[in-house]
Amino acid sequence: MDAGASRHLVRGAVHILYGTAAGLTSTDTQFFDQVDAGSTANTKGKFGRGLTVGDFNGDSFADLVISEPQRKVGGELNAGQIDVIYGSATGLDTTTAEIWTMTLLAFVSRADDEFGSSLTRGDLDGDGFDDLAVGLPGRRTHADNEIGAVVIIYGTAGGLDSADTQIWEPTTPGMNSMPNGHERFGDALASGDFNDDGWDDLAIGAPGKVVNSLTKAGAVHVLYGTAAGLDISGNQYFHQNSSEVDDDAETKDQFGAELLTADFNDDGRTDLAISVIRESLELANVATADAGQVHILLGSITGLTANGSQTWSMKSNGIRGVKGSNKFGSSLAVGDFNDDGNIDLAIAAPAEMVGSIAAAGVVHVLYGTANGLEITDNQIWNQDRDDIKDDCETDDQLGQ
């Protein structure tokens, strides 16, 4: 391996493949590392650890945000940084690239902030420009470790602008929960219009949250958008001991470790999928740690509700696969896989056994209907299928 390859393995890089009428092509491929994106080389920054796409300047070209959550900033280890590359008629253009850190946003970068560990975009103030939410789950507040925070940078005709930047923390006055340390608020983020009022809203995962003295039970906070941006009014707080949320909070469940938004029941309001990747379940009459679970909370005119919510796991009747410590829900993705107009959900279970092969990993697919996700025709994909290339091996962790 040459020195250049070794350098990129340590620091990270991003490749861009462009779409054509015939599919993705290697023609005009772009390659970005820290220096290409307008920054200086920084060992172990993990450039490319997080990515999100939005139109932050309203010019109809997609812009790319690349995170480096372990970048050293001003001598502070793992403070984190994000790099923004704006789109153009000829593709992503590094001549207009921007760098954002907590210090550049006037909040001061601190060691172990992990700024950029999570990213999402949405139009939170309804002005036609996408806005950017950035998670800092390692952020320390006062004497508490890893309480976490989320920063909102708003889009304008000139691109992302720090003028009206917001910072949200569990200690923010009016937040529907008292901070209790190590909650990693901002470890996961997802945006959507949960109440269909024209402004996108923000869901914030805090998988380390203590619930009723249960360590790392996990929780999700929801902030609603307004014409002035995110507002504390009407903010919500969900965990597995919340009314109408299925199951009960347990130590180390990590409710909120992964979040994803989509309109699963086709009612025009965005719904929220919440992973509980270390959920313990009784499977085949055996208490099973790290089985994993996914909750679907539904959008309504008053915001997200657990009324009528769904819960999916290896305990669900009819779901295919091997029951065990699968970490069901470790990652999530949506799309209309059968082109019927309904949103379908892919759920990774990277620790699931295939045959006798431990942690080979699988991906489960649940198909959507006008009434939401259903078990009918659910699928399971792994590398031992005849129509999938390669073969299952121990610890492959397909879907991770």
Side-chain angles (χ1 to χ4, degrees), residues 18-324:
Y18 284 93
T20 71
L24 290 172
T25 176
S26 60
T27 303
D28 298 323
T29 294
Q30 290 179 293
F31 174 84
F32 301 119
D33 62 12
Q34 294 166 320
V35 176
D36 297 320
S39 188
T40 56
N42 188 299
T43 302
K44 298 181 180 179
K46 290 198 173 179
F47 180 87
R49 178 64 181 84
L51 302 171
T52 197
V53 172
D55 185 2
F56 303 112
N57 56 5
D59 65 357
S60 78
F61 299 112
D63 313 313
L64 177 66
V65 182
I66 305 169
S67 75
E68 300 180 68
Q70 291 188 293
R71 187 180 181 91
K72 187 196 306 187
V73 178
E76 300 292 335
L77 293 174
N78 302 322
Q81 171 180 302
I82 61 171
D83 302 79
V84 183
I85 306 176
Y86 288 92
S88 73
T90 56
L92 292 169
D93 182 1
T94 58
T95 63
T96 58
E98 297 173 342
I99 294 168
W100 295 99
T101 66
M102 286 294 280
T103 297
L104 290 172
L105 291 167
F107 293 119
V108 182
S109 298
R110 301 177 188 165
D112 300 319
D113 272 352
E114 301 174 45
F115 180 75
S117 273
S118 57
L119 302 167
T120 194
R121 67 103 180 98
D123 189 358
L124 305 171
D125 56 3
D127 64 357
F129 303 106
D130 279 333
D131 310 308
L132 179 67
V134 186
L136 307 79
R139 184 81 167 177
R140 289 172 167 81
T141 303
H142 306 299
D144 295 312
N145 292 329
E146 294 186 331
I147 264 202
V150 175
V151 166
I152 310 298
I153 312 173
Y154 286 91
T156 70
L160 291 172
D161 193 308
S162 63
D164 297 314
T165 295
Q166 297 175 311
I167 185 167
W168 296 94
E169 300 168 312
T171 54
T172 299
M175 195 69 78
N176 255 331
S177 167
M178 290 298 293
N180 49 34
H182 296 283
E183 52 197 84
R184 293 188 64 83
F185 177 92
D187 221 356
L189 299 171
S191 65
D193 190 357
F194 302 127
N195 55 3
D196 194 27
D197 63 357
W199 295 294
D200 282 336
D201 314 307
L202 182 66
I204 303 169
K209 184 80 175 179
V210 177
V211 176
N212 296 349
S213 301
L214 300 167
T215 305
K216 295 184 180 180
V220 173
H221 296 261
V222 182
L223 296 169
Y224 284 87
T226 72
L230 286 182
D231 191 271
I232 198 68
S233 299
N235 76 96
Q236 294 176 295
Y237 174 60
F238 294 97
H239 49 74
Q240 286 186 292
N241 283 354
S242 296
S243 176
E244 298 180 319
V245 173
D246 191 27
D247 215 333
D248 298 298
E250 298 167 304
T251 300
K252 296 183 180 179
D253 273 353
Q254 296 186 32
F255 180 89
E258 295 288 333
L259 302 173
L260 180 144
T261 53
D263 183 4
F264 292 111
N265 58 358
D266 197 27
D267 66 354
R269 302 183 184 96
T270 304
D271 311 312
L272 178 66
I274 303 171
S275 282
V276 197
I277 58 173
R278 300 198 64 183
E279 174 72 42
S280 295
L281 295 172
E282 186 169 306
L283 300 175
N285 298 317
V286 176
T288 307
D290 298 342
Q293 190 175 62
V294 176
H295 293 262
I296 309 292
L297 303 187
L298 302 177
S300 76
I301 193 135
T302 57
L304 281 175
T305 177
N307 184 21
S309 64
Q310 295 181 312
T311 303
W312 298 98
S313 71
M314 293 306 294
K315 199 172 181 178
S316 302
N317 289 332
I319 201 157
R320 306 179 187 200
V322 177
K323 302 180 189 299

Side-chain angles (χ1 to χ4, degrees), residues 258-262 264 273 275 294 329-337 343-348 363-366 373 399:
E258 295 288 333
L259 302 173
L260 180 144
T261 53
F264 292 111
S275 282
V294 176
S330 287
S331 60
L332 305 170
V334 294
D336 184 1
F337 304 129
I343 296 296
D344 313 311
L345 178 64
I347 304 170
V363 174
H364 297 267
V365 178
L366 298 171
L373 297 172

